[in-house]
Amino acid sequence: MKHSIATGIKYIFFGIAWGCTCFVFTCLIGSAVGGQEFLLQVFNDFARQAGGSVLVGVACGSPAVIYQVKRLSRALQILIHFAIGIGVFFPTALTLGWIPFYPSRLLYTVLQFLISCSIFAIIWLCFYLFNRNEAKKINSKLQELENTPDDH
């Protein structure tokens, strides 16, 4: 139980870190492309914008704890993680103006949702490939240690 709580807290802070990092990089890129006007929009609503970034980070990072639940299929784990992440991101993005909402242009909103889902899938795939590569490295090192004769 103690391990589960510690793992959950780790994932929450991991999500907060990613949310804040993405917020900072978005501000840097936005200011480079849109100039001071972009930053003024962010800073005029800074607490909500930063809070939204943290919320989305937690919603995307903390559900990764689901991969610790071995009795669930990998597909169900991915579906749960994805549903929570996109389920928090998209309404937050609409509310905070990250994605403009035009009621008269519903197709535009649907397209934005599909683009968001695609971006989420790409980010998830990058994390998956990175972690799979790290696991291979660790397993390789463990195999080396197993095959090394004892000098004792």
Side-chain angles (χ1 to χ4, degrees):
M1 181 68 168
K2 215 187 244 188
H3 174 63
S4 299
I5 293 171
T7 301
I9 291 170
K10 179 180 99 176
Y11 280 108
I12 288 170
F13 281 107
F14 180 74
I16 291 170
W18 271 104
C20 291
T21 300
C22 289
F23 180 68
V24 168
F25 279 111
T26 300
C27 288
L28 289 172
I29 293 167
S31 69
V33 173
Q36 293 298 323
E37 188 174 310
F38 176 85
L39 289 179
L40 285 175
Q41 290 175 345
V42 172
F43 291 139
N44 284 336
D45 194 22
F46 182 78
R48 284 177 22 125
Q49 297 294 324
S53 296
V54 168
L55 176 66
V56 169
V58 169
C60 292
S62 60
V65 76
I66 197 74
Y67 299 111
Q68 306 298 318
V69 180
K70 302 299 180 203
R71 66 181 178 271
L72 298 177
S73 70
R74 178 67 64 188
L76 185 56
Q77 291 170 334
I78 293 168
L79 181 65
I80 291 169
H81 187 187
F82 181 82
I84 293 170
I86 201 76
V88 171
F89 168 77
F90 202 70
T92 302
L94 290 173
T95 301
L96 295 177
W98 300 344
I99 297 174
F101 177 65
Y102 306 108
S104 61
R105 294 174 52 200
L106 187 59
L107 185 59
Y108 176 82
T109 304
V110 170
L111 181 62
Q112 289 299 322
F113 178 76
L114 294 174
I115 290 169
S116 298
C117 289
S118 299
I119 291 169
F120 265 67
I122 291 168
I123 291 169
W124 182 90
L125 183 63
C126 290
F127 274 101
Y128 172 78
L129 293 173
F130 173 80
N131 287 319
R132 186 178 76 173
N133 187 44
E134 289 298 303
K136 282 182 181 178
K137 286 180 188 176
I138 291 168
N139 286 334
S140 175
K141 288 287 186 188
L142 288 173
Q143 192 68 33
E144 279 179 31
L145 290 173
E146 259 182 29
N147 294 334
T148 304
D150 245 354
D151 288 340
H152 298 239

